[in-house]
Amino acid sequence: MGKTFYNKLNRQLEDMKSEGKYKEYQFLKTPMSNKTVIENYDEVIVLCSNNYLGLSDKPEIIKAGQAALEKYGVGAASVRFICGTFDIHRQLEEKTAEFLHTEASLSYTSCWNANTAVIPVLVGAGDCLISDELNHASIIDGCRLTSKKVQRFVYNHSDMNDLEIKLKEAGEFDTKLIITDGVFSMEGDIAKLPEIKALAEKYNAIVLVDESHATGVLGNTGRGTVEFYNMLGEIDIITGTYGKALGGAGGGFVAGKQEVIDLCIQSSRPSLFSNSLPPVLAAMALEAVDYLESNPGIVKSLHEKTEYLRKGLKSVGLNPLDGESAIVPIIVGETAKAISMAKAMLDKGVYVTGFGFPVVPEGTARIRMQVSDALTYDDLDYSIKVVKEIYDAY
Ligand SMILES: *Cc1c(COP(=O)(O)O)cnc(C)c1O
């Protein structure tokens, strides 16, 4: 019995290898920055990190983490409601709420956790979910974790006519929760929040936006899609991560009205049955938000570098997907091709990711580049040259 089971697993792995879809980790030996040292490679330029603001190796943030380790130790070794939570959690949560212009926020160990926590708290029997088809996997799983009695609707990506059709179909449901990524991670495009909000008002629905790829990136001061559209304070629920632009260590949050946060504290399963964000991460996330607030120039600088990369790729005849986020994908077709191209780029010292099925639909595999304010213009020039060279060679 055991033997056939392990044979089955091995067959799955062999199939992935023969199809060129087998992923291997790269092991980093230095901090994430514009460049990093990867085991078996020299230093490479990094175009695949979510380290958008270059905060991953900021001395101020590292120091805040060191101080928190000294002050709070490793952690509480328990769940918050059972054995207490650190004051640094409250500071981070108050700061995050203030930053996003919401009443309150609650931290989680990741945004994956935050999404799977909050969505089942917001809807139950008699309610429905209306989710963009390209929403992040953690939103999909959050929806799957709701009661079986919750009706699920999925609308075509950013298709406002389809969203309206679904809202009409959802007429008889009590709570109608529309969920969208702020910035879609595989396309780099931005949700149509003003239209979504207008439809939500028309059909009496609630809106949840996951700002993971938008916080620190969009808006003049990095407050995300909501700031980009001048809609601060107008969205019911925001989720996001401290594991991308805001330092990159890890952690996530739910932000919204006090009663949403209170209900998460009472009923969300990750906060009831799992440890809090480690205090060292809370301290670093807090310092990252503080740093961003005191240095809004890094957001403008990121926008300029992103624009530079997009223009540069176009000037050599490449065709990145349009968008205003710091995610710059080029579609190349088949999964194996994207993975093989990314490997060839890495051999030339440029670290990008090839994404294919099942992360994106078959046939739309892509090389995804992400801009960081840590990158220099020389890094960008060299990367454009390499991407062009490899693209042409395939
Ligand atoms: C990255 C990402 C997450 C997961 O964030 P973690 O904090 O790493 O768990 C959730 N939602 C979206 C839209 C993301 O891009």
Side-chain angles (χ1 to χ4, degrees):
M1 187 58 201
K3 189 144 178 273
T4 33
F5 170 69
Y6 292 111
N7 282 343
K8 193 168 83 181
L9 301 193
N10 278 312
R11 260 201 319 279
Q12 289 173 25
L13 291 166
E14 287 311 320
D15 286 349
M16 291 173 191
K17 284 180 189 159
S18 66
E19 289 164 17
K21 295 175 182 173
Y22 189 82
K23 295 175 265 308
E24 289 189 66
Y25 287 157
Q26 303 292 353
F27 291 91
L28 312 180
K29 300 172 80 166
T30 59
M32 186 51 68
S33 190
N34 65 323
K35 295 181 181 169
T36 187
V37 175
I38 297 180
E39 197 171 76
N40 304 325
Y41 287 89
D42 289 332
E43 203 171 50
V44 296
I45 296 170
V46 182
L47 277 170
C48 54
S49 173
N50 304 308
N51 178 28
Y52 294 118
L53 295 175
L55 300 186
S56 297
D57 61 344
K58 260 298 157 221
E60 290 88 334
I61 296 176
I62 295 168
K63 281 205 193 80
Q66 287 164 335
L69 264 180
E70 288 295 326
K71 181 168 179 192
Y72 299 103
V74 176
S78 181
V79 169
R80 294 172 78 170
F81 89 91
I82 295 176
C83 198
T85 188
F86 294 101
D87 56 5
I88 192 82
H89 289 121
R90 187 173 55 208
Q91 286 173 46
L92 173 64
E93 288 158 356
E94 286 175 358
K95 183 80 208 180
T96 300
E98 179 203 311
F99 181 71
L100 295 173
H101 296 220
T102 62
E103 279 179 20
S105 89
L106 189 67
S107 61
Y108 285 89
T109 52
S110 66
C111 185
W112 186 286
N113 245 323
N115 282 332
T116 57
V118 67
I119 297 171
V121 163
L122 298 173
V123 290
D127 300 333
C128 73
L129 296 162
I130 310 178
S131 178
D132 187 290
E133 66 172 333
L134 290 191
N135 277 343
H136 190 262
S138 58
I139 294 176
I140 296 171
D141 279 17
C143 293
R144 287 176 177 157
L145 289 172
T146 59
S147 154
K148 290 281 178 292
K149 293 176 184 145
V150 173
Q151 176 73 37
R152 294 124 209 239
F153 296 93
V154 175
Y155 62 96
N156 297 335
H157 176 51
S158 280
D159 179 340
M160 294 300 110
N161 290 328
D162 197 37
L163 174 58
E164 183 155 20
I165 289 168
K166 299 297 187 301
L167 281 162
K168 280 185 183 152
E169 283 177 32
E172 81 268 27
F173 291 98
D174 186 11
T175 297
K176 299 181 252 301
L177 179 64
I178 303 172
I179 310 181
T180 182
D181 281 14
V183 168
F184 290 87
S185 54
M186 290 299 135
E187 318 293 311
D189 59 330
I190 304 175
K192 296 172 181 165
L193 278 196
E195 287 98 322
I196 292 172
K197 174 76 183 162
L199 284 170
E201 276 174 4
K202 185 169 170 194
Y203 293 93
N204 194 24
I206 302 294
V207 180
L208 185 158
V209 182
D210 178 343
E211 291 279 56
S212 289
H213 280 287
T215 310
V217 175
L218 289 182
N220 289 334
T221 61
R223 285 170 166 78
T225 315
V226 179
E227 182 186 9
F228 177 84
Y229 286 119
N230 241 321
M231 293 172 70
L232 282 163
E234 292 178 34
I235 295 298
D236 298 290
I237 297 126
I238 296 172
T239 62
T241 184
Y242 301 112
K244 290 182 172 133
L246 296 178
F253 60 83
V254 174
K257 287 216 179 291
Q258 190 67 52
E259 45 270 51
V260 169
I261 300 312
D262 287 347
L263 206 58
C264 283
I265 294 171
Q266 300 309 312
S267 321
S268 92
R269 291 166 67 83
S271 47
L272 288 181
F273 296 103
S274 183
N275 277 13
S276 69
L277 184 65
V280 55
L281 298 195
M284 293 193 293
L286 176 60
E287 180 62 32
V289 180
D290 275 340
Y291 187 91
L292 170 54
E293 273 193 327
S294 335
N295 299 276
I298 56 178
V299 181
K300 181 155 184 272
S301 170
L302 171 67
H303 293 171
E304 287 165 2
K305 287 175 183 172
T306 308
E307 195 50 32
Y308 186 84
L309 178 70
R310 285 182 183 283
K311 285 210 175 112
L313 290 168
K314 285 184 182 164
S315 77
V316 296
L318 296 172
N319 192 18
L321 296 184
D322 280 330
E324 290 174 82
S325 72
I327 296 173
V328 184
I330 297 180
I331 307 285
V332 300
E334 295 311 310
T335 301
K337 182 174 171 189
I339 291 176
S340 166
M341 283 172 87
K343 170 84 173 57
M345 289 173 194
L346 185 61
D347 288 337
K348 300 246 173 206
V350 178
Y351 194 10
V352 298
T353 312
F355 280 106
F357 186 78
V359 179
V360 296
E362 198 60 88
T364 70
R366 61 204 63 191
I367 297 295
R368 184 178 76 170
M369 285 160 274
Q370 292 170 278
V371 183
S372 166
D373 190 47
L375 293 159
T376 67
Y377 283 94
D378 282 348
D379 296 333
L380 293 171
D381 285 339
Y382 179 77
S383 303
I384 292 163
K385 190 173 113 303
V386 166
V387 171
K388 167 72 173 162
E389 198 178 307
I390 303 298
Y391 187 88
D392 285 349
Y394 270 76

